[in-house]
Amino acid sequence: MKKSNWLLSAMLSLLTFSMMAQPERATLELSPEYRGGAFQSAPLDVPLAEAVHFLAFSVTWSGSPGLVSARFAAADGIWGDWQALPMEGHAEQSPEKRVSVLHFAPADTRKVQVAGTAGMDNLTLHFFNPGESSLPDAAQKETLVEERSPVFCPCPQPAYEGRDDWCPSGTCPEDPTPATTSVTHLIVHHAAGTNTASDWAAVVRAIWDFHTGVNGWDDVGYNWLIDPNGVIYEGRGDNRLGAHFCGTNGSTMGVCMLGDYTNITPTVQAKAALAQLLAWKSCDIGADPLGTSFHGSSGLSLMHISGHRDGCSTACPGDAFYPELPEIRDAVVAYIASSCAAIAPPANLTAAPMSDTTVVLNWEDASDNETAFLIERATSFFGDYVQIGEAPADAVSYTDDTVEPQSGYYYQVRATDGQDTSLYTNKAFAFVNIVSTADLLHGQRVEVFPNPVAGVLQVRWESPFQGPLHVRLMDTASRLIRSGEVRGGALELSWEMGTLPPGLYLLELTQNGQRAVFRVVKE
């Protein structure tokens, strides 16, 4: 068949970018001539420069349902095998618009030829070059540490690649008027596309282009996508109404496993990332990963973690992968139990001034899964607590050396694993007092040792005093702990300190109207 037999009009809708490595889109529109109830086009030039990584290709038409096939050739003119492109199961199919699946052709494709069945009119061939990515080696979007009270299962949101990461050119805008939804059910899909790629972010861009430029949707249909390396990509994002579940998308979160799992199953890394993502969302909405409940949008009773085919007639998420969903649910439960256990809060926080500019905090470590302790301070009990530092995992003390003399401070501490936090400890108060540094009494040198002290405190002076020596031990709030009297003629005093709590104490000596105060640190 000669090319002149075609009524061919090329309508290029190339995106204009400053670099060829950025995404490009183009279309060819054609009207087939049928022979024997079928058609086959002449070879057509691809209306794009050579693609990067792959050439994404799909077909739309009006008229009857049908099957499109396509084959592709590089510049050397050698044709590949014919590839069947059945109708896309996620798209809304109508006589006005039929949509094929998305196909990934070799990057060096320069010509395409299509064939189809009777009743297909006004074909549009869609071409998309995804361009280059500039992704870092690992997912970068990490959930910030937040204060919350763990209730059902505080699984943190796993790291993911945001839209700016997988579409660095900024040419994949999100829906400008998104609708929100209260998620109750988590729906697992497969892309039914390529299982190999050198740049999976480029595959995500191709799916975005297919959903927006071909299907006519406002954004990529899924909330999240996961590649075979276990990298999670943000689609519509959290609690956004998607376009993925048989036209009954309300109260669902759609997760697409990149690849075709008709005959093979996803990689271990991809399934692990899926379990983490589903564990986070199960915790977020308080859903039992093994449970079932009524889904209002579809009118069906669905498991909280379901496959696309549970909602309508489709092979998604693939004949090989769908039977593994019970294992995925079990993996979600296991991940929650092993990796998302609530962090026990530290207990029995105390605060004691150790000098004019130092307060020492002590607590009991009640958790075994923290990575650090977050130290917070305020100047009033109900004031605004500000984090002033961190202590490492398994720590039971912290020294605050940023206090001011003659000031009071309130403290609270919580444990963190880097993404989630425990509840707070009790609040502890310390008042930093200014005390005398005098070491003379009536001209005599007085020695107080050992200091710091763990057991017996010794006090000595050079010669006997005339009259009794009055002794008081106080805490830094000037509360009396112990008192005594030494008769004249003595040269020393011994006091047992071993039963006292650690902290700073004030030892006051008074004799015949003169007074000296010494700092004593109890270890």
Side-chain angles (χ1 to χ4, degrees):
M1 184 179 297
K2 296 182 179 180
K3 193 172 183 179
S4 59
N5 292 335
W6 286 81
L7 300 176
L8 176 62
S9 62
M11 298 181 62
L12 301 183
S13 55
L14 289 175
L15 300 177
T16 303
F17 300 110
S18 61
M19 296 177 61
M20 293 303 294
Q22 292 186 330
E24 298 177 291
R25 181 188 305 119
T27 60
L28 286 176
E29 295 188 0
L30 52 89
S31 297
E33 290 185 355
Y34 287 93
R35 292 185 178 180
F39 72 87
Q40 179 176 310
S41 76
L44 306 172
D45 292 330
V46 173
L48 289 175
E50 186 169 310
V52 179
H53 302 297
F54 56 81
L55 177 69
F57 177 78
S58 59
V59 181
T60 58
W61 68 93
S62 61
S64 303
L67 177 65
V68 176
S69 297
R71 64 174 183 167
F72 306 89
D76 58 12
I78 299 176
W79 289 93
D81 295 334
W82 284 95
Q83 304 292 326
L85 278 64
M87 292 173 59
E88 164 64 21
H90 294 84
E92 296 181 8
Q93 305 285 353
S94 69
E96 289 74 30
K97 185 177 183 180
R98 309 289 183 181
V99 182
S100 78
V101 297
L102 180 64
H103 180 76
F104 295 87
D108 60 355
T109 297
R110 302 311 310 143
K111 289 185 179 294
V112 61
Q113 192 173 13
V114 295
T117 54
M120 305 173 71
D121 300 317
N122 304 315
L123 275 74
T124 301
L125 312 186
H126 299 263
F127 303 85
F128 181 70
N129 170 14
E132 285 284 8
S133 300
S134 58
L135 285 175
D137 293 335
Q140 296 296 312
K141 301 294 183 183
E142 297 186 358
T143 305
L144 298 176
V145 172
E146 299 177 352
E147 175 189 351
R148 62 175 176 172
S149 300
V151 282
F152 177 63
C153 51
C155 278
Q157 182 178 7
Y160 62 88
E161 297 293 348
R163 190 176 298 257
D164 291 342
D165 298 312
W166 58 259
C167 189
S169 65
T171 56
C172 314
E174 63 181 348
D175 181 0
T177 57
T180 59
T181 190
S182 297
V183 175
T184 58
H185 291 77
L186 314 178
I187 310 301
V188 179
H189 301 260
H190 76 155
T194 181
N195 286 317
T196 59
S198 59
D199 185 346
W200 285 103
V203 175
V204 176
R205 291 196 295 277
I207 293 174
W208 174 88
D209 177 76
F210 179 61
H211 286 181
T212 59
V214 180
N215 287 355
W217 298 344
D218 293 327
D219 200 348
V220 62
Y222 310 109
N223 298 93
W224 306 95
L225 306 93
I226 301 175
D227 74 22
N229 298 316
V231 177
I232 300 172
Y233 300 86
E234 180 185 33
R236 296 206 179 194
D238 191 28
N239 295 328
R240 295 283 182 88
L241 184 66
H244 61 90
F245 194 50
C246 317
T248 58
N249 301 294
S251 301
T252 66
M253 181 183 87
V255 183
C256 178
M257 305 293 280
L258 297 179
D260 185 343
Y261 301 112
T262 303
N263 300 311
I264 64 172
T265 60
T267 64
V268 172
Q269 298 94 319
K271 288 188 284 191
L274 176 64
Q276 293 179 31
L277 184 67
L278 297 180
W280 158 68
K281 196 59 184 177
S282 295
C283 291
D284 184 54
I285 63 177
D288 179 2
L290 303 179
T292 300
S293 65
F294 180 73
H295 178 238
S297 295
S298 65
L300 300 173
S301 180
L302 297 174
M303 296 200 73
H304 295 142
I305 298 175
S306 289
H308 183 190
R309 67 172 64 179
D310 293 320
C312 57
S313 179
T314 175
C316 183
D319 291 342
F321 182 35
Y322 181 76
E324 289 192 339
L325 287 189
E327 297 177 20
I328 295 297
R329 298 183 189 103
D330 290 341
V332 171
V333 172
Y335 184 81
I336 290 171
S338 64
S339 303
C340 302
I343 306 173
N348 299 324
L349 176 66
T350 62
M354 302 300 286
S355 72
D356 295 349
T357 57
T358 303
V359 172
V360 173
L361 307 181
N362 290 279
W363 62 85
E364 296 175 7
D365 179 7
S367 59
D368 60 3
N369 57 343
E370 83 279 350
T371 58
F373 292 94
L374 308 181
I375 316 300
E376 298 182 12
R377 187 181 73 189
T379 55
S380 64
F381 188 86
F382 294 108
D384 294 329
Y385 285 80
V386 177
Q387 183 175 325
I388 60 170
E390 293 186 10
D394 301 324
V396 292
S397 65
Y398 177 84
T399 299
D400 179 11
D401 57 5
T402 63
V403 297
E404 297 290 336
Q406 207 67 20
S407 301
Y409 298 94
Y410 291 86
Y411 295 88
Q412 60 186 16
V413 178
R414 55 180 172 157
T416 179
D417 63 2
Q419 293 180 304
D420 193 29
T421 63
S422 72
L423 298 174
Y424 284 105
T425 60
N426 58 290
K427 291 179 171 62
F429 175 75
F431 185 80
V432 183
N433 205 353
I434 298 178
V435 298
S436 169
T437 59
D439 61 354
L440 296 177
L441 189 63
H442 286 296
Q444 292 199 55
R445 177 171 297 278
V446 178
E447 297 179 358
V448 178
F449 64 94
N451 194 5
V453 61
V456 177
L457 180 69
Q458 302 286 339
V459 183
R460 292 179 182 172
W461 48 94
E462 296 173 337
S463 59
F465 290 110
Q466 298 298 317
L469 175 69
H470 300 281
V471 184
R472 294 199 307 166
L473 184 68
M474 299 169 289
D475 64 17
T476 54
S478 298
R479 291 185 292 261
L480 181 64
I481 304 298
R482 186 176 179 183
S483 64
E485 181 178 295
V486 180
R487 294 186 177 183
L491 294 175
E492 64 180 10
L493 166 69
S494 297
W495 264 5
E496 176 59 53
M497 302 278 287
T499 59
L500 296 178
L504 178 65
Y505 294 87
L506 306 179
L507 181 68
E508 179 189 72
L509 305 180
T510 305
Q511 206 280 326
N512 197 21
Q514 289 198 11
R515 175 176 175 267
V517 179
F518 302 85
R519 300 185 190 91
V520 177
V521 176
K522 169 61 171 60
E523 293 182 323

